Amino acid sequence: MSYIVNGREFGREPAPGQCLRTFLRELGHFGVKKGCDAGDCGACTVWLDGTPVHSCITPAFRADGREVTTIEGLGRPGALHPMQRQFEDAPGFQCGFCTAGMIMTSATFTEEQKADLPRALKGNLCRCTGYRAIEDAVKGVSAVETAAPGKAVGTSVGAPAGHDVVTGHAEFTMDTRIDGMLHLKVLHSPHAHARILSIDKRAALAVPGVHRVYTWQDVPRRRFTTAIHTDHLVDPDDTYVLDDTVRFAGQRVAAVLADTVGAAEEGCRRLAVEYEVLPAVFDPEAAMTDGAPQLHGSQDPFVRDPVHNILLELHSHIGDVDAGFAAADVIHEGTYFSPRVQHAHLETHGAIAWMEDGRLNVRTSSQSPSIAKVKLEYLFALRPDQLRVFCKRVGGGFGGKQEVIAEDLVALATLDTGRPTCLEYTREEEFITASPRHPMTLTVKLGAKADGTLTAFQVRNVSNTGAYGNHGGETAYAGGAAVMIYRCPNKKYDAYSVYTNTVPSGALRGYGMTQPAFAVESAMDELARALHIDPLELRRRNIVRPGEPLVAMDDGPDDVIFTEDGLARCVDLVDDAMARTADRPPPGPEWLVGTGVASSLHETAPPTEHLSEAWVTLGDDLIYELAVGTVEFGEGTSTAHVQIAANQLGTTPSRIRLVQSDTDRTGFDTGAFASAGLFVAGNAVLRAANAVRDRVLEFAAAHTGVHVVMCTMDDDGVVCGDRRVSLAELVALARARGIRFTAARKAYGSPRSVTSNTQGFQVAVHRVTGEIRILYSVHAADAGVIINPAQVRGQVEGGVAQGLGFALTENHHVDDNGVMVNPNLRNYRIPTYADIPRTEVLLVSSADSVGPMRAKGMAECCVNPVAPALANAVHDATGVRYRALSLTPERVYGRLPAEQSVPTG
């Protein structure tokens, strides 16, 4: 056989049955990505004789004698293909994992196809962008700007890795080859609850190429939590690397280490496991009843109430809610349900480990290599100097990679064998074992005077933490933000985080606030209608204002500074926008039209625990090296950090060299989650850049004899009065005296501030099918001073798109035995290009009190008001209140009144 890839001929033959994707990657073409291995996502798209195909479902032998083009061969160095250039200039990506496939598909489009992108892009998925930026890229719309020296903040500069992303040279976790690398595969439990009586390894070890089989008897017997937080005590140590009891269908039973993935998979199939099946419970309310099966029992010191499977209870009472309800003219009470949903980041979890100079190295797709390192040190009794953990570019996270769920097994195998080891999740494993959003059932009771003034506010939150408690307590506590948003003298919040025999829940964009926001904002809409008050006006009358206490669970002191009236301004902007578009006609007589709004507040960092350290050094090459531990996975912190440093150093982003997410080369960083990558790490970058600037200015002032206040930085020099000294001269002089222009600075997640968001929708609901069509979407956000306008807009659009997926199409369907029945992208149904409307993004002009450059993060909070705004719009259209997500057509149609469910004309 003969294969021509990017103009180069290869004589190597694929293995029997091998797909083209894995074959191309074995040849070193890592721009061909794995997102599904089922032809669903398009991340692996390549050309066969100029025609785009999904290489994961194309047998490799079909490329024999044909020309194969991958993203690496689309353009030449210094001469990008026009579509690559357009994606770089738009920019048409965030994490960039889908980008190669998007470009390979789009580069073949005719003008007719460009005019029908919903059809033309149906085979390519993006989880980050919301697709508007991709549309701009395909159509040649540019947003990237060039920053003048010292003027980077406020400019839509491109991402530092932009060129590498569009050419396929950006390295993601699995984009490497190591000689002698072994592969791990995991056997997963078929039972929701069982005790492992025995595991017979003999047949597995007899498979050619299998080296090891690891069971619970072969791993350190140390309890830990997979959740990533600086303070590990906020999560229960209720997990083992491998255990003799399984508590959900899909839990690890054993791991097989082999020369190839195929041999490891065959080894898993040949393991003979004897189980004692135990009673299981899947509903958290049932799990709290007397006599329910106990998941962890009294031997677990971290469980609040093991008899009733309660990990954690929160009870708070401010004022007197009974008196508040007695004083109310109108009382509304309703129960709302948000289901389990998955992150569906296109890069699955994975990690690679190897030994080098006696040290363990772990390359991983994590949102926090620093804390992953701490956990591995604990699990395997390693000193800090014996371990390095680092990330390359990470292909999406959204909180899903705020866990240690791959790193432990590769570390175990490499420490055991001394061989490099790789573990890469399949898409099915992502769905059945990785930690999705917590399903929550919330009962909200509101009391109000006739004029809309709230008199009582009561919430009961039952959160399904699944089989283990990673993030179970923190997400229950975070839900208080939905209570904090409204002023009321009498509040009561009760929360229960409950163990069930389901996949462990975890962190997902919005982190414990998305579900309560759906409940509270839906309840506020229902209360407004009962009071015959406009829903936006009811919010105006009750939202907290600057200077008022942010009260959720207690009225004690906190570290939140609330000085900007961003929420009220978001409400006003959306109100005006909705009024502008109120006369939009329905698609036809069979459609019912309605509008809905919702708001949210979000604290700019987690309470007290976040830490980041940044280092800035002016090198002999006159390039500033910025080292910061924050990971880049599409949230845009890398770009923002470079902009902050360039701004303060009087230079351009091109003269900042970024080193990131490597425990050997950067300081400690808690991680990129809860928007702290901008808020906390951004402040560390700001302080370190300022410190280097000041040192350069002081040195230049001493050298020229001019007072330091008369000295300013420019792109490659310092102006001291009427004299300019080049950086080259200053660096040479400093070197001669043994002086380096370098500084390290830390920042902490305290004090904090708040971000505000309001979402509005106009929707049409089909009377016959229950289909929901979005006619208009608008989102107002208070992001403080905008570091990068294009990035902020992109984060909002991506958050709205993700929120729409959660609200309309996505659900983690589980059968009566606790087994997920739709563990693939095709049946789980994240939104495609055709599903997402363009959202009008309105940014409040404000300045944060404590954020870097007076900015606020926007990646996390924008998702929170989306689902309730949509549900409120559907109610306005149909007169039917839907209190459980997702709003699939069959669910909507099933409750439409008979007189509405037939065409009227």
Side-chain angles (χ1 to χ4, degrees), residues 737-874:
R737 302 177 193 177
I739 297 172
R740 295 182 66 215
F741 297 126
T742 185
R745 292 292 184 271
K746 295 179 181 178
Y748 299 85
S750 180
R752 301 173 291 153
S753 56
V754 295
T755 57
S756 309
N757 300 78
T758 299
Q759 173 71 44
F761 285 115
Q762 184 182 45
V763 305
V765 182
H766 199 278
R767 302 170 189 266
V768 177
T769 66
E771 176 191 349
I772 297 171
R773 186 174 296 178
I774 297 170
L775 305 179
Y776 177 62
S777 171
V778 60
H779 189 106
D782 172 19
V785 170
I786 307 299
I787 302 287
N788 188 305
Q791 281 197 168
V792 171
R793 180 185 177 193
Q795 289 300 322
V796 171
E797 290 167 339
V800 172
Q802 205 163 40
L804 285 172
F806 300 160
L808 290 174
T809 63
E810 299 176 41
N811 206 330
H812 197 282
H813 294 289
V814 176
D815 67 15
D816 293 340
N817 297 312
V819 178
M820 186 182 182
V821 298
N822 59 324
N824 55 67
L825 292 173
R826 184 166 305 185
N827 294 323
Y828 178 74
R829 279 281 289 122
I830 70 171
T832 67
Y833 176 96
D835 298 316
I836 300 301
R838 302 292 83 91
T839 293
E840 183 178 0
V841 178
L842 306 173
L843 300 177
V844 169
S845 177
S846 71
D848 191 57
S849 51
V850 289
M853 311 300 297
R854 308 191 79 181
K856 305 176 185 182
M858 192 46 56
E860 182 98 6
C861 53
C862 50
V863 72
N864 292 329
V866 175
L870 186 76
N872 292 340
V874 171

Side-chain angles (χ1 to χ4, degrees), residues 183 185-187 199-215 218 253-273:
H183 298 267
K185 294 303 292 185
V186 172
L187 177 68
I199 301 178
D200 189 340
K201 306 178 182 180
R202 289 173 295 179
L205 289 170
V207 173
V210 169
H211 292 263
R212 298 282 195 279
V213 174
Y214 299 107
T215 72
D218 305 305
V253 172
V256 176
L257 182 68
D259 290 330
T260 65
V261 171
E265 289 176 337
E266 180 62 22
C268 288
R269 285 189 285 269
R270 294 196 186 186
L271 287 171
V273 184

